[in-house]
Amino acid sequence: MKSGEVILSDTSTISSDEKLHLNLDPIDIAAEKKLLWKCDLHVLPMISLLYLLAFIDRINIGNARIQGLEKDLHMKGQDYNIALFVFFIPYIVFEIPSNLLLRKLAPSTWLSFLMFGWGIITICMGVTQSYAGLVVCRFFLGLFEAGFLPGSIYLISMYYKRYELQWRFSLFYCTSILSGAFGGLLAYAVAKMAGIGGYNGWRWIFIIEGLVTVVVAACSKFFVVDWPETSSFLNPKERQLLLRRLRIDASEAVMDRLDKKAKGRIFADWKIYVGALMYLGVVNTGYSTSFFTPTILKELGWTSVHAQVLSIPIYIVACVVALITAVLTDRMRHRYAFIMTGIIVATVGYVILLAQKGVGVKVRYLALYLVMAGGYITQPVTLVWLNNNLGGHYKRSIGSAVQVGLGNCGGIIASNIYITTQAPTYVIGYGVSVGLLWLCGLASTAFFIGMRLENRKRDRGERDDRYDLPREELENLGDDHPRFRYTC
């Protein structure tokens, strides 16, 4: 049996109540394809647009920097790094509370509210007159953006089977990659507004992008989907089919009550913390390239505008590579090898940058392609891989939030390792990034081995003693249920 598949061939061990719930009659393939297409059209487009805007609002400070931000706000030394750093404090702390609120509220309401909030803060960044004001704005930007990524992972995962998820999630996630391209293109255009209203170009970058976010947020309430059980775009027959196919995929991996025993199972689950280490190791590369690529390109000898334009194809290539990876990893029903491939590719890029004094400008430019592509082969797969191996509403809600929250400590690291006085070589920045990539590699290897060993134990019946647990507990085990099999 392949990892990730559910044991249903021997139905003699399934009670009559469970058979009724699972409904083992064959699923209508045509109806299933129609349902998937309908979900794709309703679930992904709006939430992907929101994430595109979220990431543009988060990383536009990198483009603003080379348009005069530091000079106008009298910033010096590590002030820029501190402004990046403060974003991550609330971003990490409020991940779990936000996802718990999302579970209680309609996603369309909560996610739209978060977006409206960070749009207002982005506008404020454009009109602030001091460095202190910028730092305060970055703090509140982190607060409002905290719940969006883990909430989106959680929401999307409730509509698709595990080996349908990577492709859909990568479509969503690639908007964050393209934000680098669009952000650079937009900054290139907006920079020409310098002088209008007495504002320098970098201020208009924040103001225009913030206004777009606020307008889209006001409309998004009517387009973001809610949970499958209540979503208005599904008719009763489609809803029944969706819930049935998801239940079969997850077997009895249900966790719909957050009682004391469920909390214990969630917070004592080693997979969540290893998953956070995987994400921490690679997310540093994502943030580093987003924050510093325009600066690095400028230091290679190009003008600010030229540097922004040259950053665009780097993001486009990374997006294409990430989508190809998503197709392959779902079709092959395997995650680990793709993560390691991305790590190796990015490592080659970093090695070139570390040895940049001995190579030409074009080779250094190529290295940025390798770093970006390798990072985005790996990063979305780490998020989906953990989610695939968490069973039940609350397990996914909290597990995704912990992974993204703790993992975003990598963003704090990225904010502080590119030391201004080391420009343009950034020896510490590139060196630490390589080390973190291989932390991701070690964590991924441990995760892979752990999943394979646990599947073998369940195949041998070594977890069957859990069938003797009280029925109420057995029906709320999440992925600890002995019928659940992990993906590798």
Side-chain angles (χ1 to χ4, degrees):
M1 186 188 75
K2 294 180 180 180
S3 63
E5 293 181 346
V6 177
I7 299 177
L8 287 175
S9 56
D10 180 9
T11 60
S12 61
T13 62
I14 304 176
S15 69
S16 58
D17 288 341
E18 289 171 326
K19 287 180 181 179
L20 180 63
H21 187 74
L22 288 171
N23 188 357
L24 297 178
D25 294 333
I27 288 178
D28 184 332
I29 301 300
E32 187 176 31
K33 287 184 178 179
K34 183 179 179 181
L35 173 63
L36 274 175
W37 179 242
K38 190 172 185 179
C39 287
D40 289 343
L41 290 177
H42 286 83
V43 175
L44 297 176
M46 179 51 70
I47 201 169
S48 298
L49 174 61
L50 300 191
Y51 194 47
L52 170 68
L53 295 173
F55 223 80
I56 287 177
D57 291 341
R58 187 185 311 176
I59 68 171
N60 54 16
I61 191 171
N63 291 310
R65 183 188 192 187
I66 63 174
Q67 294 295 339
L69 167 72
E70 291 176 303
K71 180 180 178 181
D72 288 358
L73 296 185
H74 310 292
M75 296 166 62
K76 57 186 179 180
Q78 294 300 106
D79 285 352
Y80 177 74
N81 300 71
I82 293 170
L84 299 181
F85 166 79
V86 296
F87 169 91
F88 292 100
I89 299 172
Y91 190 84
I92 292 168
V93 171
F94 289 100
E95 300 273 0
I96 294 176
S98 179
N99 255 21
L100 290 176
L101 280 171
L102 182 67
R103 178 70 183 101
K104 299 293 185 182
L105 301 173
S108 58
T109 300
W110 183 242
L111 296 179
S112 299
F113 166 75
L114 293 177
M115 183 182 185
F116 188 86
W118 83 61
I120 294 295
I121 296 301
T122 301
I123 295 172
C124 292
M125 289 170 65
V127 298
T128 185
Q129 299 299 313
S130 67
Y131 170 64
L134 177 68
V135 170
V136 171
C137 286
R138 289 287 297 178
F139 179 89
F140 282 100
L141 186 67
L143 177 66
F144 280 105
E145 285 200 26
F148 191 81
L149 177 57
S152 298
I153 298 170
Y154 178 24
L155 179 61
I156 295 171
S157 72
M158 300 312 294
Y159 278 89
Y160 298 101
K161 293 164 67 173
R162 287 184 288 169
Y163 287 115
E164 297 167 347
L165 183 59
Q166 185 69 63
W167 167 246
R168 273 80 182 185
F169 179 74
S170 289
L171 283 172
F172 160 81
Y173 202 78
C174 275
T175 59
S176 72
I177 306 174
L178 291 177
S179 68
F182 287 126
L185 188 63
L186 182 59
Y188 171 70
V190 173
K192 296 183 179 297
M193 296 178 64
I196 297 177
Y199 284 167
N200 203 347
W202 69 266
R203 292 188 181 277
W204 285 112
I205 291 175
F206 290 127
I207 293 170
I208 297 298
E209 293 176 3
L211 284 172
V212 171
T213 300
V214 168
V215 171
V216 174
C219 302
S220 64
K221 164 64 182 174
F222 306 101
F223 295 98
V224 174
V225 298
D226 290 319
W227 302 117
E229 296 86 350
T230 58
S231 195
S232 59
F233 78 90
L234 296 172
N235 62 43
K237 188 175 181 180
E238 290 169 336
R239 181 174 292 107
Q240 183 182 29
L241 174 59
L242 177 65
L243 296 175
R244 177 190 166 197
R245 66 193 300 275
L246 294 176
R247 181 71 179 221
I248 291 173
D249 181 56
S251 189
E252 297 303 298
V254 177
M255 188 175 283
D256 293 335
R257 296 189 316 276
L258 190 61
D259 54 27
K260 184 177 180 180
K261 290 186 177 179
K263 290 177 184 177
R265 291 186 181 279
I266 292 170
F267 289 105
D269 189 345
W270 67 271
K271 300 193 304 295
I272 293 174
Y273 304 104
V274 174
L277 284 177
M278 290 191 296
Y279 187 58
L280 184 153
V282 71
V283 78
N284 168 77
T285 290
Y287 280 123
S288 295
T289 51
S290 297
F291 289 145
F292 293 99
T293 291
T295 301
I296 292 169
L297 289 173
K298 185 179 178 182
E299 288 166 352
L300 290 180
W302 290 300
T303 64
S304 296
V305 171
H306 197 188
Q308 286 170 330
V309 172
L310 284 173
S311 71
I312 294 171
I314 299 175
Y315 291 103
I316 293 174
V317 169
C319 182
V320 171
V321 170
L323 291 178
I324 292 172
T325 300
V327 173
L328 293 176
T329 187
D330 270 349
R331 287 187 179 178
M332 295 176 67
R333 299 195 165 204
H334 182 76
R335 311 295 191 203
Y336 172 68
F338 291 94
I339 289 176
M340 298 306 296
T341 298
I343 289 171
I344 292 170
V345 170
T347 298
V348 172
Y350 278 125
V351 169
I352 293 173
L353 291 173
L354 282 166
Q356 62 181 275
K357 290 183 178 180
V359 298
V361 171
K362 291 182 179 179
V363 177
R364 282 178 273 171
Y365 183 51
L366 172 65
L368 292 177
Y369 281 89
L370 295 175
V371 170
M372 187 79 78
Y376 283 110
I377 287 172
T378 298
Q379 195 166 323
V381 180
T382 62
L383 292 166
V384 169
W385 196 17
L386 176 63
N387 187 276
N388 282 168
N389 291 309
L390 301 177
H393 251 295
Y394 279 108
K395 190 72 173 287
R396 287 184 180 179
S397 170
I398 296 175
S400 296
V402 171
Q403 183 187 31
V404 175
L406 295 180
N408 267 291
C409 290
I412 294 178
I413 297 170
S415 303
N416 291 283
I417 57 177
Y418 288 85
I419 301 170
T420 305
T421 55
Q422 290 191 343
T425 56
Y426 294 117
V427 175
I428 291 178
Y430 299 142
V432 171
S433 295
V434 171
L436 286 172
L437 276 178
W438 285 98
L439 171 65
C440 173
L442 289 172
S444 299
T445 301
F447 196 86
F448 174 71
I449 293 172
M451 295 302 91
R452 287 181 65 89
L453 291 176
E454 182 61 26
N455 281 343
R456 289 174 183 174
K457 288 181 180 180
R458 295 185 185 196
D459 289 342
R460 293 192 298 264
E462 294 179 25
R463 302 301 190 206
D464 286 356
D465 58 301
R466 294 173 184 169
Y467 286 118
D468 298 328
L469 293 170
R471 187 172 185 84
E472 185 179 70
E473 185 177 353
L474 179 62
E475 293 176 347
N476 203 51
L477 285 178
D479 53 83
D480 284 337
H481 196 285
R483 277 200 199 103
F484 186 86
R485 295 296 183 272
Y486 295 105
T487 66
C488 294

